[in-house]
PDB file of all heavy atoms in Angstrom:
ATOM      1  N   HIS A  68      93.629 102.736  98.857  1.00 97.00           N
ATOM      2  CA  HIS A  68      94.092 101.484  99.506  1.00 97.00           C
ATOM      3  C   HIS A  68      93.095 101.139 100.608  1.00 97.00           C
ATOM      4  O   HIS A  68      92.699  99.939 100.747  1.00 97.00           O
ATOM      5  CB  HIS A  68      95.493 101.705 100.106  1.00 97.00           C
ATOM      6  CG  HIS A  68      96.058 100.513 100.811  1.00 97.00           C
ATOM      7  ND1 HIS A  68      97.053  99.750 100.273  1.00 97.00           N
ATOM      8  CD2 HIS A  68      95.766  99.950 102.014  1.00 97.00           C
ATOM      9  CE1 HIS A  68      97.362  98.752 101.122  1.00 97.00           C
ATOM     10  NE2 HIS A  68      96.618  98.902 102.208  1.00 97.00           N
ATOM     11  N   GLY A  69      92.635 102.116 101.402  1.00 97.00           N
ATOM     12  CA  GLY A  69      91.662 101.836 102.460  1.00 97.00           C
ATOM     13  C   GLY A  69      90.354 101.344 101.948  1.00 97.00           C
ATOM     14  O   GLY A  69      89.757 100.405 102.511  1.00 97.00           O
ATOM     15  N   HIS A  70      89.869 101.953 100.838  1.00 97.00           N
ATOM     16  CA  HIS A  70      88.603 101.491 100.255  1.00 97.00           C
ATOM     17  C   HIS A  70      88.758 100.062  99.725  1.00 97.00           C
ATOM     18  O   HIS A  70      87.842  99.229  99.931  1.00 97.00           O
ATOM     19  CB  HIS A  70      88.197 102.403  99.095  1.00 97.00           C
ATOM     20  CG  HIS A  70      87.857 103.766  99.512  1.00 97.00           C
ATOM     21  ND1 HIS A  70      87.005 104.075 100.550  1.00 97.00           N
ATOM     22  CD2 HIS A  70      88.269 104.974  99.030  1.00 97.00           C
ATOM     23  CE1 HIS A  70      86.861 105.391 100.662  1.00 97.00           C
ATOM     24  NE2 HIS A  70      87.645 105.958  99.769  1.00 97.00           N
ATOM     25  N   ALA A  71      89.887  99.763  99.102  1.00 97.00           N
ATOM     26  CA  ALA A  71      90.102  98.405  98.602  1.00 97.00           C
ATOM     27  C   ALA A  71      90.195  97.404  99.752  1.00 97.00           C
ATOM     28  O   ALA A  71      89.752  96.282  99.648  1.00 97.00           O
ATOM     29  CB  ALA A  71      91.365  98.379  97.746  1.00 97.00           C
ATOM     30  N   GLU A  72      90.808  97.878 100.830  1.00 97.00           N
ATOM     31  CA  GLU A  72      90.975  96.955 101.965  1.00 97.00           C
ATOM     32  C   GLU A  72      89.656  96.577 102.611  1.00 97.00           C
ATOM     33  O   GLU A  72      89.454  95.413 102.964  1.00 97.00           O
ATOM     34  CB  GLU A  72      91.912  97.586 102.988  1.00 97.00           C
ATOM     35  CG  GLU A  72      92.305  96.610 104.088  1.00 97.00           C
ATOM     36  CD  GLU A  72      93.634  96.929 104.683  1.00 97.00           C
ATOM     37  OE1 GLU A  72      94.560  97.347 103.991  1.00 97.00           O
ATOM     38  OE2 GLU A  72      93.739  96.767 105.901  1.00 97.00           O
ATOM     39  N   ILE A  73      88.726  97.540 102.756  1.00 98.00           N
ATOM     40  CA  ILE A  73      87.448  97.198 103.397  1.00 98.00           C
ATOM     41  C   ILE A  73      86.632  96.312 102.454  1.00 98.00           C
ATOM     42  O   ILE A  73      85.942  95.412 102.900  1.00 98.00           O
ATOM     43  CB  ILE A  73      86.675  98.446 103.874  1.00 98.00           C
ATOM     44  CG1 ILE A  73      85.537  98.030 104.800  1.00 98.00           C
ATOM     45  CG2 ILE A  73      86.180  99.258 102.708  1.00 98.00           C
ATOM     46  CD1 ILE A  73      85.947  97.384 106.103  1.00 98.00           C
ATOM     47  N   ALA A  74      86.762  96.523 101.153  1.00 98.00           N
ATOM     48  CA  ALA A  74      86.092  95.628 100.179  1.00 98.00           C
ATOM     49  C   ALA A  74      86.657  94.206 100.303  1.00 98.00           C
ATOM     50  O   ALA A  74      85.947  93.208 100.238  1.00 98.00           O
ATOM     51  CB  ALA A  74      86.241  96.161  98.778  1.00 98.00           C
ATOM     52  N   SER A  75      88.013  94.155 100.523  1.00 98.00           N
ATOM     53  CA  SER A  75      88.680  92.870 100.663  1.00 98.00           C
ATOM     54  C   SER A  75      88.213  92.132 101.899  1.00 98.00           C
ATOM     55  O   SER A  75      88.030  90.928 101.925  1.00 98.00           O
ATOM     56  CB  SER A  75      90.180  93.130 100.751  1.00 98.00           C
ATOM     57  OG  SER A  75      90.867  91.947 100.977  1.00 98.00           O
ATOM     58  N   VAL A  76      87.958  92.849 102.961  1.00 98.00           N
ATOM     59  CA  VAL A  76      87.442  92.266 104.211  1.00 98.00           C
ATOM     60  C   VAL A  76      86.130  91.569 103.965  1.00 98.00           C
ATOM     61  O   VAL A  76      85.868  90.451 104.441  1.00 98.00           O
ATOM     62  CB  VAL A  76      87.341  93.326 105.355  1.00 98.00           C
ATOM     63  CG1 VAL A  76      86.526  92.807 106.494  1.00 98.00           C
ATOM     64  CG2 VAL A  76      88.716  93.784 105.800  1.00 98.00           C
ATOM     65  N   ILE A  77      85.258  92.223 103.242  1.00 98.00           N
ATOM     66  CA  ILE A  77      83.940  91.685 102.942  1.00 98.00           C
ATOM     67  C   ILE A  77      84.098  90.412 102.109  1.00 98.00           C
ATOM     68  O   ILE A  77      83.436  89.400 102.411  1.00 98.00           O
ATOM     69  CB  ILE A  77      83.067  92.733 102.206  1.00 98.00           C
ATOM     70  CG1 ILE A  77      82.798  93.911 103.171  1.00 98.00           C
ATOM     71  CG2 ILE A  77      81.778  92.112 101.691  1.00 98.00           C
ATOM     72  CD1 ILE A  77      82.248  95.134 102.474  1.00 98.00           C
ATOM     73  N   VAL A  78      84.973  90.436 101.130  1.00 98.00           N
ATOM     74  CA  VAL A  78      85.194  89.269 100.293  1.00 98.00           C
ATOM     75  C   VAL A  78      85.774  88.120 101.132  1.00 98.00           C
ATOM     76  O   VAL A  78      85.374  86.963 101.005  1.00 98.00           O
ATOM     77  CB  VAL A  78      86.146  89.620  99.089  1.00 98.00           C
ATOM     78  CG1 VAL A  78      86.581  88.331  98.361  1.00 98.00           C
ATOM     79  CG2 VAL A  78      85.424  90.546  98.127  1.00 98.00           C
ATOM     80  N   GLN A  79      86.755  88.429 101.995  1.00 98.00           N
ATOM     81  CA  GLN A  79      87.372  87.408 102.840  1.00 98.00           C
ATOM     82  C   GLN A  79      86.319  86.738 103.724  1.00 98.00           C
ATOM     83  O   GLN A  79      86.351  85.492 103.912  1.00 98.00           O
ATOM     84  CB  GLN A  79      88.473  88.027 103.708  1.00 98.00           C
ATOM     85  CG  GLN A  79      89.659  88.473 102.927  1.00 98.00           C
ATOM     86  CD  GLN A  79      90.484  89.508 103.706  1.00 98.00           C
ATOM     87  OE1 GLN A  79      90.297  89.727 104.864  1.00 98.00           O
ATOM     88  NE2 GLN A  79      91.408  90.129 102.960  1.00 98.00           N
ATOM     89  N   ALA A  80      85.397  87.490 104.297  1.00 98.00           N
ATOM     90  CA  ALA A  80      84.367  86.947 105.178  1.00 98.00           C
ATOM     91  C   ALA A  80      83.405  86.036 104.388  1.00 98.00           C
ATOM     92  O   ALA A  80      82.933  85.031 104.928  1.00 98.00           O
ATOM     93  CB  ALA A  80      83.663  88.024 105.899  1.00 98.00           C
ATOM     94  N   ALA A  81      83.121  86.412 103.159  1.00 98.00           N
ATOM     95  CA  ALA A  81      82.154  85.661 102.327  1.00 98.00           C
ATOM     96  C   ALA A  81      82.827  84.542 101.501  1.00 98.00           C
ATOM     97  O   ALA A  81      82.131  83.689 100.967  1.00 98.00           O
ATOM     98  CB  ALA A  81      81.441  86.606 101.401  1.00 98.00           C
ATOM     99  N   LEU A  82      84.126  84.554 101.424  1.00 98.00           N
ATOM    100  CA  LEU A  82      84.846  83.663 100.514  1.00 98.00           C
ATOM    101  C   LEU A  82      84.553  82.186 100.697  1.00 98.00           C
ATOM    102  O   LEU A  82      84.376  81.474  99.704  1.00 98.00           O
ATOM    103  CB  LEU A  82      86.355  83.917 100.575  1.00 98.00           C
ATOM    104  CG  LEU A  82      87.173  83.290  99.497  1.00 98.00           C
ATOM    105  CD1 LEU A  82      86.751  83.812  98.119  1.00 98.00           C
ATOM    106  CD2 LEU A  82      88.658  83.572  99.704  1.00 98.00           C
ATOM    107  N   PRO A  83      84.452  81.675 101.952  1.00 98.00           N
ATOM    108  CA  PRO A  83      84.180  80.235 102.046  1.00 98.00           C
ATOM    109  C   PRO A  83      82.896  79.828 101.319  1.00 98.00           C
ATOM    110  O   PRO A  83      82.831  78.721 100.746  1.00 98.00           O
ATOM    111  CB  PRO A  83      84.021  80.035 103.550  1.00 98.00           C
ATOM    112  CG  PRO A  83      84.894  81.105 104.143  1.00 98.00           C
ATOM    113  CD  PRO A  83      84.707  82.308 103.217  1.00 98.00           C
TER     114      PRO A  83
END
Side-chain angles (χ1 to χ4, degrees):
H68 179 106
H70 294 310
E72 189 153 321
I73 194 62
S75 176
V76 167
I77 294 165
V78 170
Q79 291 158 12
L82 194 60

